[in-house]
Amino acid sequence: EVQLVESGGGLVQPGGSLRLSCATSGFTFSSSHMSWVRQAPGKGLEWVAGINSATFYTEYQHSVKGRFIIYTDNADNTLYLQMNSLKTEDTAVYYCASSFDGSGTRGQGTQVTVSS
C-alpha cells in the first residue's frame, strides 16, 4: 500500500523559508515520479513541482520557479520541497503525490501559512 506522510509546514513571514518533507513507503521510490501540489483557501488543487526520482528531472509551476526546489533522498525514500522567498500567495495546504502531475495517491497534507 502506498503511504505518503507530509511534515514541515508552519507559519512563516513573507520572505522566509520552509522545507517540507514527504516520507514514503509501499512502492519503489527511487524509480518513481513524485510531485507537490497545493490547495489555497477557497481554491482548487494546484500543481507546484514534479520530479523523476530516477533521473532527477524536475519541472516547476511558473509562480514558484527560482524560489522552490523539489528534490529526493532516495536512500531514505523521502521527497522534499525547499521553499524560499515565500509570499503570502503561497499560503496553502501542501500535499505530496505519487505521480509527476499530482494525480494518484496523496498524503494528508501540511499547512503552510505565510503572513506578517
Side-chain angles (χ1 to χ4, degrees), residues 7 18-24 29 34-36 49-51 58 60 68-83 96:
S7 61
L18 278 177
R19 189 182 74 163
L20 306 184
S21 301
C22 173
T24 76
F29 180 81
M34 298 291 298
S35 58
W36 289 96
I51 186 168
T58 59
Y60 296 89
F68 291 10
I69 302 170
I70 185 172
Y71 64 100
T72 64
D73 180 342
N74 287 356
D76 204 25
N77 296 332
T78 303
L79 174 72
Y80 295 97
L81 185 68
Q82 177 66 43
M83 304 187 295
C96 59

Side-chain angles (χ1 to χ4, degrees), residues 3-6 22 93-98 104-110:
Q3 292 194 331
L4 308 173
V5 180
E6 301 93 338
C22 173
V93 178
Y94 284 72
Y95 303 88
C96 59
S98 59
T105 302
R106 290 191 288 268
Q108 84 291 346
T110 186

